[in-house]
Amino acid sequence: MEMQQVNYGRRRKQWIMLTKPGWNLPTLGALFFLAVHLLVVGLVWNAGEEAAYAFYHQNGFSWSGVKSGNVHAVFTHIFLHGNGLHVVVNALLFYDAASRLGHVLRPKKVILLFMASALTASIIHILAQVIFQGLPSEPLVGASGGVMGLYLAVTVLYPHSKMAIIKVSARNVGKGFLIASALLFIMTPGLKVPLFSQLGEWSKVLFGPALFKMAHLYHFFGGLTGMILVERMLPALVTLEELKAAREAREGKLLASQAQEPS
């Protein structure tokens, strides 16, 4: 019985798969998000509401900002967050996802996957602002696109792992997230999609108007990008054929050297 408890403890530690806080990418990335937000709050929000409004419109990503020349916002928007809850959630999710991906990817590739997901999703988001006039026009801020890219990449690498509470497989969590994000986008009341927009109006009554101020398309394409790219970033594995060829080459050299030795 005692041995069973020890084995269970070991399995549990392997199941969590988190990196200990320290001088590593998950910790430094999460702390960076928090530090930038505290710096913005201290320097910008204390300067007044008008200064904060101007700062977020200049450094948040939107089509109107791009037309005004704020192209740099395609990068700066990733590290800005609307409020404390927003940045804390993204920091925790980044820490969790980067820790799990760190078992199979080098830190540089985790960063590359994060940035590729965020940039791809943000560009699609502002193109959608041009195409669909009913979408909110507020500037996009937050690391959610990149974070969702990392998190859904985890569901691809560990498809059979289970959620801690509801015991749903990671594969189904990834699919469910994409479906939910797509539905919430279609339900945006401003798009006036028959039936779906009505469902969106009912959802606003139940959950509040903030539900459709979220960039659901940003989340969707961020997660989808991470799912598509992560397998292409995995290190190349040695195949059985390559092992056989290497063995035959070694044996051939050995036989050749033995044949050349004087009898």
Side-chain angles (χ1 to χ4, degrees), residues 56-100:
Y56 274 84
H57 271 73
Q58 183 177 5
N59 296 287
F61 198 39
S62 66
W63 179 244
S64 60
V66 170
K67 291 193 295 183
S68 301
N70 297 331
V71 182
H72 66 279
V74 70
F75 296 103
T76 56
H77 83 276
I78 299 171
F79 306 104
L80 301 177
H81 290 85
N83 53 51
L85 178 62
H86 190 196
V87 68
V88 167
V89 169
N90 274 339
L92 291 175
L93 290 177
F94 177 88
Y95 177 82
D96 183 50
S99 296
R100 297 171 191 273

Side-chain angles (χ1 to χ4, degrees), residues 241-261:
E241 289 73 17
E242 290 173 333
L243 289 174
K244 288 180 178 179
R247 180 179 177 179
E248 291 173 357
R250 288 195 304 270
E251 291 176 348
K253 289 182 180 178
L254 179 60
L255 291 173
S257 63
Q258 291 176 345
Q260 293 175 357
E261 290 179 359

Side-chain angles (χ1 to χ4, degrees), residues 1 6 17 20 33 42 51 56 74 77 93 115 142 146 172 190 197 223:
M1 186 67 176
V6 172
M17 293 178 62
K20 290 183 179 180
F33 291 153
Y56 274 84
V74 70
H77 83 276
L93 290 177
M115 292 300 297
N172 289 332
S197 291

Side-chain angles (χ1 to χ4, degrees), residues 104-122:
V104 291
L105 294 178
R106 293 183 181 276
K108 288 182 179 179
K109 287 194 174 182
V110 176
I111 295 173
L112 179 61
L113 182 62
F114 171 81
M115 292 300 297
S117 299
L119 294 175
T120 300
S122 62

Side-chain angles (χ1 to χ4, degrees), residues 12-218:
R12 184 169 179 81
K13 287 181 181 179
Q14 292 173 354
W15 173 69
I16 293 175
M17 293 178 62
L18 291 181
T19 302
K20 290 183 179 180
W23 192 259
N24 51 59
L25 176 62
T27 304
L28 295 177
L31 290 177
F32 182 74
F33 291 153
L34 296 171
V36 170
H37 184 71
L38 291 175
L39 183 64
V40 171
V41 169
L43 297 180
V44 177
W45 284 101
N46 286 341
E49 187 175 344
E50 290 186 4
Y53 181 85
F55 178 82
Y56 274 84
H57 271 73
Q58 183 177 5
N59 296 287
F61 198 39
S62 66
W63 179 244
S64 60
V66 170
K67 291 193 295 183
S68 301
N70 297 331
V71 182
H72 66 279
V74 70
F75 296 103
T76 56
H77 83 276
I78 299 171
F79 306 104
L80 301 177
H81 290 85
N83 53 51
L85 178 62
H86 190 196
V87 68
V88 167
V89 169
N90 274 339
L92 291 175
L93 290 177
F94 177 88
Y95 177 82
D96 183 50
S99 296
R100 297 171 191 273
L101 290 174
H103 291 278
V104 291
L105 294 178
R106 293 183 181 276
K108 288 182 179 179
K109 287 194 174 182
V110 176
I111 295 173
L112 179 61
L113 182 62
F114 171 81
M115 292 300 297
S117 299
L119 294 175
T120 300
S122 62
I123 291 171
I124 293 175
H125 173 81
I126 66 161
L127 291 176
Q129 285 185 332
V130 178
I131 298 170
F132 304 106
Q133 300 299 319
L135 290 178
S137 59
E138 288 85 356
L140 178 68
V141 294
S144 303
V147 168
M148 289 302 107
L150 297 185
Y151 220 86
L152 266 66
V154 171
T155 70
V156 172
L157 296 183
Y158 308 105
H160 302 295
S161 61
K162 302 291 184 180
M163 296 290 289
I165 299 175
I166 57 177
K167 302 300 181 184
V168 176
S169 69
R171 177 190 287 118
N172 289 332
V173 169
K175 292 177 180 177
F177 174 83
L178 292 179
I179 292 171
S181 297
L183 284 176
L184 285 170
F185 171 72
I186 297 172
M187 288 165 56
T188 303
L191 293 180
K192 301 187 183 304
V193 179
L195 181 60
F196 288 99
S197 291
Q198 186 62 46
L199 290 173
E201 293 290 354
W202 293 341
S203 299
K204 281 176 63 177
V205 174
L206 291 174
F207 302 106
L211 178 64
F212 293 104
K213 290 184 179 180
M214 298 180 187
H216 298 296
L217 201 64
Y218 183 51

